[in-house]
């Protein structure tokens, strides 16, 4: 019989993280620790407030009940856990960690042979704050930058994009933008047309989710490839996933295990997307380094070896009080140090 413990922990951002749903200064996670008498595994359950489909008032109670069922059977009940993706991700991670330690899958990444390229993220803020972040990411060597837009005046955001393109061509710097559903449908087409002049790789979620007809029209119209993100939240049944992708037909989907079905759910999304000719990438969702480590290993297992497409991993430097893991960044790639000598 497996034993488990659940511990809540609060993390503090080094600087406020601006999103379309407000500004984060703290982050709450629940850690699931599983033991079998000899080995220990840890996983992180980290729902995003006002976004995750399992951001519920009695989160810890539900998590404890699900873990109690798991500890007796020793098997993950995926159907029971489909409505709770962040809990599923934490339990999956803990079970893999119990068996494998921090190296969750055997890949060139986990053996320290290969790094995962990822984008530098520009948080929402004033024009000056965002420009300062852009300059910082470029100095750090990032060659793919993702800008969150929709928080300040569109013309100011456009000036920032122009500034980047004056410095670097699309061959020198890949530019992604994420609207987080900030545009209304009637204005989205015009803004997409304006943005299309700046060689943008893709735009995530230009309008709010659950507008399949409107999103499908934008995907058909837009010169900029559209990627779905929030649109995937709460769609946990395999047949519904395929139906939604067939109707909207986006160019890409952006997958967060904590939001989109844990590791199993992400693999389902990738399988369906591949069958429909839709691209995908994986990104973290403001987890601590425990969750980030799991996201990185999952990305390496799904897309490796020789990953060339930029993923959406964090840098492990979000929090003052993060948990050390053998991850490090070099040349805008994330590496795993098998010897544990370098840590975030």
């Amino acid at each position: 019989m497996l034993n488990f413990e659940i511990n809540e922990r609060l993390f503090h951002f080094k600087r406020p993280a601006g999103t379309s749903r407000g500004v984060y200064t703290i982050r709450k996670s629940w850690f699931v620790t599983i033991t079998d008498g000899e080995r220990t595994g840890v996983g992180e359950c980290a729902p995003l407030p006002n976004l995750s489909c399992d951001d519920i008032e009695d989160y810890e109670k539900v998590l404890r009940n699900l873990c109690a069922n798991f500890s007796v059977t020793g098997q993950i009940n995926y159907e029971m856990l489909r409505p709770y993706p962040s809990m599923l991700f934490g339990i999956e991670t803990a079970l893999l960690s119990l068996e494998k330690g921090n190296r969750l899958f055997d890949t060139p990444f986990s053996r320290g042979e290969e790094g995962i390229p990822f984008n530098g993220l520009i948080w929402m803020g004033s024009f000056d704050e965002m420009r300062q972040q852009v300059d910082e990411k470029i100095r750090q060597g990032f060659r793919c930058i993702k800008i969150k837009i929709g928080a300040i005046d569109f013309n100011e955001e456009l000036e920032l994009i122009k500034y980047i393109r004056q410095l670097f061509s699309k061959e020198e710097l890949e530019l992604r933008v994420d609207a987080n559903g900030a545009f209304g449908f009637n204005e989205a087409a015009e803004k997409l047309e304006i943005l299309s002049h700046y060689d943008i790789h893709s735009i995530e979620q230009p309008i709010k989710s659950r507008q399949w007809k409107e999103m499908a029209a934008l995907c058909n119209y837009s010169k900029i490839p559209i990627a779905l993100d929030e649109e995937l939240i709460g769609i946990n049944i395999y047949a519904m996933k395929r139906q939604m992708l067939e109707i909207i037909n986006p160019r890409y989907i952006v997958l967060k295990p904590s939001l989109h079905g844990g590791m199993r759910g992400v693999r389902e999304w990738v399988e369906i997307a591949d069958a429909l000719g839709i691209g995908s990438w994986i990104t973290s969702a403001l987890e601590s380094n425990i969750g980030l480590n799991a996201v990185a290993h999952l990305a390496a297992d799904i897309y490796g070896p020789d990953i060339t497409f930029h993923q959406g991993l964090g840098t492990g430097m979000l929090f003052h009080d993060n948990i050390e893991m053998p991850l490090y960044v070099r040349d805008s790639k994330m590496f795993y140090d098998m010897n544990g000598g370098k840590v975030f």
Side-chain angles (χ1 to χ4, degrees):
M1 180 175 175
L2 299 174
N3 297 311
F4 71 92
E5 290 183 6
I6 295 174
N7 296 290
E8 180 183 323
R9 181 161 174 174
L10 202 63
F11 296 96
H12 300 82
F13 283 87
K14 291 183 176 179
R15 63 182 177 188
T19 74
S20 61
R21 289 166 296 278
V23 178
Y24 291 117
T25 58
I26 57 173
R27 180 77 163 98
K28 185 186 293 186
S29 291
W30 285 263
F31 288 89
V32 176
T33 302
I34 298 175
T35 59
D36 63 1
E38 297 180 0
R39 303 170 300 171
T40 299
V42 181
E44 181 176 8
C45 305
L48 280 171
N50 304 315
L51 183 63
S52 297
C53 63
D54 55 358
D55 174 34
I56 52 179
E57 186 174 348
D58 55 349
Y59 187 93
E60 184 170 328
K61 179 180 178 181
V62 172
L63 177 59
R64 288 188 178 280
N65 289 337
L66 292 170
C67 286
N69 176 272
F70 169 70
S71 68
V72 171
T73 64
Q75 301 291 324
I76 297 177
N77 187 329
Y78 287 103
E79 295 309 310
M80 181 185 292
L81 279 160
R82 278 187 185 273
Y84 310 104
S86 66
M87 301 184 198
L88 173 57
F89 183 46
I91 293 172
E92 287 174 312
T93 302
L95 184 58
L96 281 169
S97 173
L98 181 74
E99 298 173 354
K100 306 286 185 61
N102 290 331
R103 296 177 62 234
L104 304 182
F105 303 102
D106 184 21
T107 64
F109 169 74
S110 71
R111 295 193 295 270
E113 300 166 0
E114 177 182 89
I116 302 175
F118 67 103
N119 59 247
L121 179 60
I122 309 302
W123 293 99
M124 290 178 173
S126 69
F127 175 85
D128 290 338
E129 289 170 339
M130 294 177 75
R131 179 168 168 168
Q132 182 180 7
Q133 291 181 64
V134 168
D135 291 339
E136 181 181 348
K137 294 300 180 186
I138 290 172
R139 283 197 303 270
Q140 291 172 348
F142 283 92
R143 287 298 173 257
C144 177
I145 289 179
K146 173 180 166 180
I147 300 176
K148 287 186 172 289
I149 61 175
I152 61 177
D153 180 75
F154 180 71
N155 289 325
E156 289 191 43
E157 292 170 337
L158 200 59
E159 285 300 314
L160 183 64
I161 291 170
K162 288 179 182 178
Y163 167 72
I164 295 170
R165 276 291 168 249
Q166 287 170 356
L167 296 175
F168 299 98
S169 68
K170 65 178 181 179
E171 289 78 21
E172 295 171 310
L173 183 70
E174 184 174 290
L175 183 56
R176 302 174 179 177
V177 297
D178 183 2
N180 287 126
F183 302 155
F185 175 67
N186 291 331
E187 64 176 335
E190 179 184 0
K191 290 183 175 179
L192 288 171
E193 176 64 30
I194 294 170
L195 289 168
S196 70
H197 298 290
Y198 299 98
D199 295 318
I200 291 173
H201 170 272
S202 57
I203 179 169
E204 293 180 35
Q205 205 69 40
I207 61 175
K208 291 186 184 302
S209 59
R210 304 301 180 263
Q211 302 179 81
W212 291 9
K213 180 180 177 181
E214 291 82 357
M215 187 68 86
L218 286 177
C219 288
N220 184 58
Y221 161 85
S222 178
K223 296 175 184 175
I224 302 175
I226 290 177
L228 302 185
D229 181 356
E230 287 90 343
E231 199 72 63
L232 314 181
I233 297 172
I235 301 179
N236 301 313
I237 306 302
Y238 191 96
M240 287 185 64
K241 294 177 180 181
R242 187 178 183 98
Q243 180 188 29
M244 187 270 287
L245 291 182
E246 286 178 336
I247 290 172
I248 297 178
N249 192 28
R251 186 76 65 86
Y252 299 105
I253 55 175
V254 184
L255 297 162
K256 299 180 175 72
S258 290
L259 293 175
H260 302 138
M263 295 185 184
R264 185 185 180 99
V266 164
R267 292 185 190 276
E268 286 183 354
W269 280 114
V270 172
E271 177 184 289
I272 296 167
D274 284 350
L276 297 176
I278 296 168
S280 64
W281 69 87
I282 291 176
T283 181
S284 52
L286 305 182
E287 297 94 351
S288 78
N289 282 339
I290 297 291
L292 176 60
N293 181 69
V295 173
H297 277 79
L298 178 64
D301 191 53
I302 290 177
Y303 299 119
D306 302 321
I307 303 175
T308 58
F309 198 82
H310 290 87
Q311 305 299 301
L313 307 177
T315 63
M317 305 298 288
L318 283 176
F319 308 115
H320 288 291
D321 40 9
N322 212 331
I323 298 168
E324 288 191 345
M325 290 292 286
L327 302 168
Y328 66 100
V329 175
R330 186 181 74 230
D331 299 329
S332 72
K333 291 183 177 182
M334 179 173 290
F335 291 85
Y336 183 86
D337 185 0
M338 281 190 63
N339 299 318
K342 299 178 180 178
V343 295
F344 278 139

